């Protein structure tokens, strides 16, 4: 049985381009982001992969990425489940702020702590630990069972919501996951054993 799980971070968004904290705000993809999503689909198709189900967040940039990946793979109309449990980390009061302006306002060190510590949240927002606490139950209750049933599964989501999954799949510490960068539009392939442990992990690159 092929227990396939592929994670893809959405392509570049309009707010990525403008260097803004995005979180739960809902900008669309840039032209570059569209191209990144299409490239991810082409890479997966070139690997000879296919999917039975896709999961994505409630936000446009992830949903559009999912749609474009599936179009490139000839899987338009695949069963796709969107849930805000997979939304990006909520940056609270930082949402919509330019990252350089935030550093000028709050100080470089404080902004670095908010962005790169595991358990310290920005005002009104979520820490990565909070994001993990939101994403992980959904993964365990909804996504993992589909993988273990042999449904080849795609998850198109966000840097921090995917970090929550990577942390569990790769058994990373809080320190380890904070150092793990996830490139936009770069698929990560996992194959799982019957006990849900990872038997294969591979970055699919050009």
């Amino acid at each position: 049985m092929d227990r396939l799980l592929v994670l893809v971070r959405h392509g570049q968004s309009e707010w990525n381009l403008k260097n803004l904290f995005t979180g739960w705000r809902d900008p669309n993809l840039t032209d570059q982001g569209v191209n990144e999503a299409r490239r991810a689909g082409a890479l997966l198709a070139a690997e000879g992969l296919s999917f039975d189900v896709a999961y994505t967040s409630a936000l446009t940039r992830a949903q559009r990425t999912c749609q474009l990946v599936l179009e490139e793979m000839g899987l338009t109309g695949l069963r796709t489940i969107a849930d805000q449990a997979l939304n990006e980390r909520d940056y609270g009061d930082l949402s919509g702020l330019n990252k350089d302006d935030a550093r000028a306002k709050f100080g470089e060190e404080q902004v670095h702590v908010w962005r790169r510590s595991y358990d310290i949240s920005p005002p009104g927002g979520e820490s990565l630990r909070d994001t993990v606490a939101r994403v992980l139950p959904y993964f365990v209750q909804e996504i993992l069972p589909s993988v273990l049933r042999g449904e080849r599964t795609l998850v198109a989501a966000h840097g921090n919501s995917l970090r929550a999954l990577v942390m569990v799949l790769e058994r990373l510490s809080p320190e380890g996951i904070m150092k793990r960068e996830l490139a936009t539009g770069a698929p990560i392939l996992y194959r799982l054993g019957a006990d849900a442990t990872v038997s294969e992990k591979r970055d699919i690159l050009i």
Side-chain angles (χ1 to χ4, degrees):
M1 181 187 295
D2 190 12
R3 302 179 187 89
L4 175 71
L5 173 64
V6 172
L7 310 181
V8 181
R9 182 183 174 192
H10 66 77
Q12 183 192 63
S13 76
E14 294 162 349
W15 283 24
N16 291 145
L17 182 62
K18 294 176 181 176
N19 200 33
L20 306 180
F21 284 101
T22 310
W24 282 43
R25 303 288 183 87
D26 202 21
N28 211 328
L29 299 179
T30 61
D31 289 345
Q32 178 180 321
V34 169
N35 290 336
E36 288 172 345
R38 290 196 182 282
R39 182 192 65 190
L43 289 170
L44 292 167
E47 291 275 332
L49 298 174
S50 189
F51 295 107
D52 301 301
V53 62
Y55 293 86
T56 189
S57 78
L59 298 170
T60 301
R61 59 195 184 275
Q63 292 182 11
R64 182 87 174 111
T65 295
C66 188
Q67 175 192 9
L68 291 165
V69 167
L70 295 175
E71 281 180 8
E72 286 296 312
M73 299 182 72
L75 295 173
T76 305
L78 187 78
R79 181 165 60 102
T80 300
I81 300 160
D83 198 288
Q84 70 177 22
L86 293 175
N87 279 15
E88 177 58 295
R89 173 185 171 190
D90 184 354
Y91 279 103
D93 293 353
L94 298 182
S95 299
L97 279 181
N98 182 281
K99 292 173 184 175
D100 293 332
D101 292 343
R103 292 185 190 100
K105 182 175 181 178
F106 298 108
E108 177 120 16
E109 185 174 338
Q110 180 62 73
V111 172
H112 181 76
V113 167
W114 285 331
R115 292 188 71 194
R116 291 303 178 191
S117 63
Y118 180 70
D119 55 3
I120 299 174
S121 57
E126 294 178 311
S127 65
L128 183 56
R129 181 174 66 182
D130 297 330
T131 309
V132 170
R134 165 166 56 81
V135 174
L136 207 52
Y138 184 75
F139 175 69
V140 170
Q141 294 162 19
E142 300 293 335
I143 300 174
L144 184 59
S146 92
V147 178
L148 295 180
R149 284 194 299 268
E151 295 184 9
R152 298 160 297 178
T153 302
L154 171 69
V155 179
H158 308 265
N160 285 298
S161 55
L162 292 178
R163 274 196 179 100
L165 304 187
V166 169
M167 183 178 181
V168 172
L169 291 164
E170 299 183 15
R171 300 184 176 184
L172 298 177
S173 67
E175 295 74 28
I177 194 56
M178 293 311 300
K179 296 173 184 173
R180 183 78 152 80
E181 293 297 330
L182 302 180
T184 52
I188 309 170
L189 178 152
Y190 298 93
R191 283 192 165 90
L192 306 186
D195 61 355
T197 59
V198 175
S199 58
E200 179 188 356
K201 179 259 171 180
R202 187 155 52 90
D203 293 309
I204 298 178
L205 304 170
I206 295 175

